[in-house]
Amino acid sequence: MNSFQPKAYSSLFFVFMFERFYYYGIRSLLFLFMMKHLLFTTEKVETFSVFYLWIISLLPILGGFMSDLWLGQKKALKWSVIAMISSCFLFTVSALMGSSFIFYIALFFMAIGGMLFKPAGYTTLSNLYNTGNDPRRDSGFTLIFVAISLGAFLAPLICGYLGEVIGWWLGFLIAGIFVIPILFLLKQLPTIMPSKESISKTNNKNAFLTMLVILLVVYIPVYLGNASTEKTIFTQISIYNFTIPSSWIKGFGSLLTSIFYLIFPWIWIRLAEKDKEPSSVYKFLLGMIFLIIGLGLYDFIASRYQESETISLSTIGIMTVFLSLSEICIAPIITSFITRIAPKKWAMTFVGAWFALIGSFSILISFRSDLLSNLTPIIIIVLIACCAIFLLLLRKMFTRSI
């Protein structure tokens, strides 16, 4: 990994993996624990989940502000890990004692951990690169999504199983144990100042304007496109007269995306060596084109097949490939881009604001799914196409911002 990434990258890779293991490990247990162990009503759990998830989605902007003003990157990361470990200890005690009061304190520490980690973690990753145009940057951010995927995949399997089968306390405890190595990994990270080259071309006004344009023109239409494909439009798939359940499709899509996450860093590096790597804007455009094709195939499948019919795996496979390629060209690249244009003095506040915006929007859509009911794939395709054209027209603004 270090052969084409900065020296400290490997340590940061595992920092992100263990942090996501902790988050998804706790989250896989949290709401079941509230209903089955603390005996909260379903209505109370649903109300609480909306409130709590919205709060923790907004907190990164506060965490970024505190880190810029007072803590600094390394201290912010250190205290975030301490808060995570404390939350796991308290969750474990709450499970053993059946105490809802201790449970609420644990949730507070969990929120503090996430509040500090996101802005400091991604800013630290960004600052590993010597210049704003370091060809390894987008590859590095893409590989970090491999770490995130690994943590998110393993945590529910391990913590979820141990928590539900053996005891809630054990699931919480294991999540905390996986966070402890981060404290040692942080010691291997050098104190890195932001890249002067990338900062000198960025002012606060242009940076925030660019962030809002990226949110409105890239993130929101792409998110709506991906959300519209979550609905299951078939019940079974056939391949050589063998029928497989449609629930396997998401697993196949996740596997395919993970494979692409491993391949594309190498592709970006090789293109950069030949001075042919596309800019961030053109990667966004490429991802939007892939998404349009994927949505077109999705609409074709939805209009042609009824739920009682079987469909060809090859059709689903092609659709899944384009949707996966779209994610690869947008998800890590957009994070890389946002951290690159962040103003020097308020870098972590800026990154925190980004995560607060996208987190709030994601929660709004997830709890108001009726907002998507009138958006057919064709409408979303037209929306994405219009945004792509607008983005192309604005590409000079992005060139001035970085």
Side-chain angles (χ1 to χ4, degrees):
M1 188 180 298
N2 280 341
S3 60
F4 64 96
Q5 288 297 331
K7 185 177 180 180
Y9 185 87
S10 295
S11 298
L12 205 52
F13 179 93
F14 288 104
V15 166
F16 274 90
M17 186 180 74
F18 290 140
E19 187 274 338
R20 287 292 89 181
F21 184 96
Y22 154 82
Y23 176 78
Y24 285 104
I26 296 295
R27 188 164 176 172
S28 68
L29 296 170
L30 199 58
F31 302 116
L32 288 174
F33 176 75
M34 292 168 66
M35 289 188 291
K36 294 184 177 182
H37 192 72
L38 298 180
L39 302 180
F40 288 0
T41 63
T42 303
E43 182 180 357
K44 183 176 181 180
V45 171
E46 289 177 351
T47 303
F48 173 82
S49 63
V50 174
F51 175 75
Y52 184 70
L53 291 176
W54 209 305
I55 288 296
I56 62 175
S57 71
L58 291 173
L59 282 177
I61 189 170
L62 176 61
F65 179 76
M66 291 172 58
S67 301
D68 282 325
L69 196 65
W70 174 41
L71 291 172
Q73 291 174 26
K74 294 195 73 171
K75 284 186 178 180
L77 288 172
K78 178 183 176 181
W79 283 109
S80 73
V81 174
I82 292 173
M84 292 175 200
I85 295 172
S86 300
S87 72
C88 289
F89 171 76
L90 291 168
F91 279 129
T92 303
V93 173
S94 173
L96 291 171
M97 297 179 61
S99 171
S100 58
F101 176 73
I102 297 176
F103 174 74
Y104 287 128
I105 299 176
L107 288 174
F108 171 77
F109 279 100
M110 182 180 179
I112 295 299
M115 175 185 80
L116 294 173
F117 182 86
K118 274 192 173 181
Y122 284 100
T123 303
T124 300
L125 174 61
S126 176
N127 291 342
L128 287 180
Y129 302 98
N130 295 326
T131 68
N133 295 319
D134 192 320
R136 301 171 297 175
R137 168 183 284 272
D138 285 351
S139 297
F141 274 81
T142 303
L143 276 175
I144 282 295
F145 274 67
V146 176
I148 293 171
S149 299
L150 282 173
F153 171 73
L154 293 173
L157 296 179
I158 299 173
C159 297
Y161 174 81
L162 293 176
E164 289 193 71
V165 176
I166 299 179
W168 301 107
W169 65 272
L170 185 58
F172 291 129
L173 182 63
I174 293 299
I177 289 174
F178 270 80
V179 181
I180 294 174
I182 299 180
L183 290 173
F184 301 97
L185 291 168
L186 292 180
K187 294 180 179 180
Q188 301 178 30
L189 297 179
T191 302
I192 308 169
M193 294 304 294
S195 162
K196 292 182 179 179
E197 178 177 325
S198 61
I199 292 165
S200 62
K201 298 180 182 179
T202 307
N203 60 58
N204 294 1
K205 183 178 178 180
N206 285 344
F208 278 99
L209 177 61
T210 302
M211 179 175 69
L212 289 176
V213 171
I214 288 293
L215 177 72
L216 296 173
V217 178
V218 181
Y219 182 84
I220 288 180
V222 167
Y223 184 93
L224 293 175
N226 288 322
S228 69
T229 63
E230 292 295 314
K231 182 181 177 181
T232 301
I233 56 175
F234 34 76
T235 57
Q236 52 188 8
I237 306 164
S238 63
I239 176 172
Y240 299 114
N241 298 320
F242 173 73
T243 301
I244 62 174
S246 61
S247 59
W248 288 15
I249 295 174
K250 290 185 178 180
F252 171 68
S254 298
L255 175 63
L256 191 62
T257 303
S258 298
I259 293 172
F260 285 150
Y261 273 132
L262 291 170
I263 295 174
F264 267 72
W266 179 85
I267 293 176
W268 297 141
I269 287 290
R270 292 296 174 265
L271 287 174
E273 289 176 351
K274 298 178 181 180
D275 200 25
K276 294 182 179 180
E277 183 186 14
S279 67
S280 297
V281 173
Y282 284 106
K283 288 174 183 175
F284 296 153
L285 291 169
L286 188 61
M288 296 168 88
I289 291 171
F290 287 144
L291 182 56
I292 287 173
I293 297 172
L295 284 170
L297 290 170
Y298 178 89
D299 185 63
F300 169 78
I301 294 169
S303 62
R304 183 167 179 176
Y305 295 97
Q306 302 297 324
E307 289 192 359
S308 59
E309 297 183 39
T310 58
I311 60 174
S312 169
L313 182 63
S314 60
T315 307
I316 298 297
I318 295 172
M319 178 191 74
T320 306
V321 166
F322 280 108
L323 292 177
S324 297
L325 287 172
S326 171
E327 180 177 337
I328 298 298
C329 291
I330 293 178
I333 309 304
I334 205 171
T335 310
S336 170
F337 183 81
I338 290 297
T339 59
R340 180 168 36 168
I341 66 171
K344 178 180 179 181
K345 186 177 180 180
W346 303 108
M348 286 178 280
T349 306
F350 186 85
V351 174
W354 170 255
F355 281 108
L357 285 170
I358 65 174
S360 298
F361 178 78
S362 300
I363 292 171
L364 173 65
I365 295 298
S366 64
F367 289 103
R368 288 294 307 276
S369 56
D370 56 299
L371 295 174
L372 285 173
S373 59
N374 295 324
L375 294 177
T376 65
I378 294 300
I379 292 176
I380 297 177
I381 286 173
V382 172
L383 173 64
I384 295 173
C386 291
C387 288
I389 294 171
F390 187 64
L391 181 65
L392 188 62
L393 294 175
L394 289 178
R395 66 188 184 278
K396 290 184 179 180
M397 182 187 78
F398 296 105
T399 303
R400 289 195 299 268
S401 298
I402 58 177

